[in-house]
Amino acid sequence: MASAREYHTRQREQILQYLIANQQSHVTADQIALHLRTQQSTIGKATIYRYLDKLVSEGRVRKFYLQEGSSACYQYIDENSGCQEHFHLKCVDCGVLIHLHCD
């Protein structure tokens, strides 16, 4: 049986891999949990939120609120992507988040 430390490392790796694979999107903790359930993972939402908060505080993930009162969404920040060099605009009609590149 794996030790608790290995188990938590595996959980974090699964969350991180999902964020990296979906780095062009803004994902919620619910979307992450749903994906992990389809992979037969038993990671709870509290664990997902704790790790997302850690990644945000480390500057590896950005946290957004698309509308007041809704769940936060997250985006992985790839050092090699241009994500740090654009603005995020939100449509006031439909709530979609738009990347606006500024050269």
Side-chain angles (χ1 to χ4, degrees):
M1 179 174 205
S3 72
R5 180 174 297 270
E6 291 171 4
Y7 182 69
H8 291 295
T9 300
R10 192 172 340 120
Q11 288 179 328
R12 288 181 174 191
E13 185 61 28
Q14 288 175 308
I15 296 167
L16 185 61
Q17 288 307 311
Y18 179 81
L19 291 167
I20 291 169
N22 293 281
Q23 65 186 311
Q24 297 304 317
S25 302
H26 303 95
V27 298
T28 65
D30 286 337
Q31 288 172 307
I32 296 169
L34 178 62
H35 169 76
L36 294 174
R37 272 196 305 273
T38 65
Q39 303 299 309
Q40 280 67 48
S41 178
T42 59
I43 301 172
K45 271 206 261 185
T47 299
I48 293 169
Y49 277 113
R50 278 193 302 272
Y51 190 49
L52 287 170
D53 286 342
K54 179 177 174 42
L55 292 170
V56 169
S57 69
E58 292 174 352
R60 297 174 66 191
V61 167
R62 284 196 177 126
K63 183 176 184 177
F64 302 95
Y65 290 96
L66 297 181
Q67 64 187 37
E68 192 172 324
S70 69
S71 297
C73 59
Y74 302 86
Q75 183 180 25
Y76 180 77
I77 302 170
D78 184 352
E79 294 173 3
N80 298 318
S81 75
C83 189
Q84 292 132 352
E85 299 175 12
H86 70 257
F87 295 98
H88 291 97
L89 302 176
K90 186 180 92 174
C91 176
V92 294
D93 289 329
C94 67
V96 71
L97 203 57
I98 303 163
H99 290 197
L100 177 65
H101 293 274
C102 297
D103 294 333

